[in-house]
Amino acid sequence: MIVYDKLWETMKLKGISQYKLINHYHISRGQIDRLRHNEHVSTYTLDQFCAILGCQLSDIAEYIPEEK
């Protein structure tokens, strides 16, 4: 499972709020909600976040294997 817990930490470190993402970078609330709930998002969305935050994918997402 891919989780986006690191995204919120990176946003805080870079001084980017959800308000700024929505109003300045025009990221939809729906995309932010999907990330908050670790739901499916496109690679385009992940690319946008990396560009906005000036970071690597590993700074916003992490793969955690599901236990069987």
Side-chain angles (χ1 to χ4, degrees):
M1 180 163 110
I2 295 175
V3 296
Y4 302 101
D5 297 338
K6 290 183 173 185
L7 170 63
W8 316 111
E9 296 168 18
T10 301
M11 284 174 54
K12 187 174 182 176
L13 286 172
K14 301 284 184 167
I16 304 283
S17 66
Q18 290 181 46
Y19 178 86
K20 190 168 186 176
L21 286 174
I22 294 165
N23 293 297
H24 183 74
Y25 295 104
H26 309 291
I27 302 292
S28 74
R29 285 185 172 94
Q31 290 290 11
I32 293 171
D33 286 342
R34 283 197 234 16
L35 289 161
R36 182 181 317 290
H37 294 105
N38 297 316
E39 295 175 356
H40 171 76
V41 294
S42 70
T43 53
Y44 175 78
T45 298
L46 296 174
D47 184 57
Q48 283 185 307
F49 273 84
C50 288
I52 291 166
L53 296 170
C55 68
Q56 298 294 312
L57 184 56
S58 60
D59 295 322
I60 62 174
E62 178 181 16
Y63 174 73
I64 299 177
E66 294 184 37
E67 295 184 23
K68 294 183 180 184

